[in-house]
């Protein structure tokens, strides 16, 4: 049975919570994680939380980080 290790994506302790949030940040099968949490909690409000985390983290924070790295490379290249 190859169900994967998605049961380890939880918030039982800080380490697993950070790993779960990191996997969501890099958009690593986030729909599977969200579906699992929706099944366990029995509410669709989970999707709103994960969607808001995705919008804030992926859309905003990673875009700013990417712009910073590109700016650093461009300023290094012009020197």
């Amino acid at each position: 049975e190859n169900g994967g290790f998605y049961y380890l994506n939880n918030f039982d302790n800080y380490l697993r919570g950070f790993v779960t949030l990191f996997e969501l940040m890099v958009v690593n099968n986030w729909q599977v994680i969200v579906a699992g949490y929706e099944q366990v909690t029995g509410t669709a409000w989970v999707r709103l939380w994960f969607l808001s985390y995705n919008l804030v983290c992926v859309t905003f924070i990673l875009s700013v980080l990417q712009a910073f790295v590109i700016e650093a490379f461009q300023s290094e290249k012009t020197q």
Side-chain angles (χ1 to χ4, degrees):
E1 198 175 320
N2 190 4
F5 293 101
Y6 290 107
Y7 63 90
L8 294 175
N9 293 326
N10 57 48
F11 295 99
D12 288 345
N13 57 37
Y14 284 116
L15 180 62
R16 287 190 178 170
F18 282 131
V19 169
T20 301
L21 292 176
F22 181 77
E23 288 180 357
L24 291 169
M25 182 181 66
V26 296
V27 194
N28 184 16
N29 287 335
W30 69 274
Q31 71 278 5
V32 176
I33 297 170
V34 172
Y37 274 97
E38 187 176 10
Q39 242 180 354
V40 168
T41 60
T43 178
W45 287 103
V46 174
R47 289 192 179 271
L48 180 64
W49 188 90
F50 282 107
L51 181 63
S52 64
Y53 177 80
N54 190 334
L55 288 175
V56 169
C57 193
V58 175
T59 305
F60 182 70
I61 294 175
L62 287 181
S63 296
V64 169
L65 180 65
Q66 181 182 11
F68 176 75
V69 170
I70 290 172
E71 179 68 28
F73 276 118
Q74 286 178 346
S75 67
E76 191 68 29
K77 185 178 177 182
T78 58
Q79 290 180 354

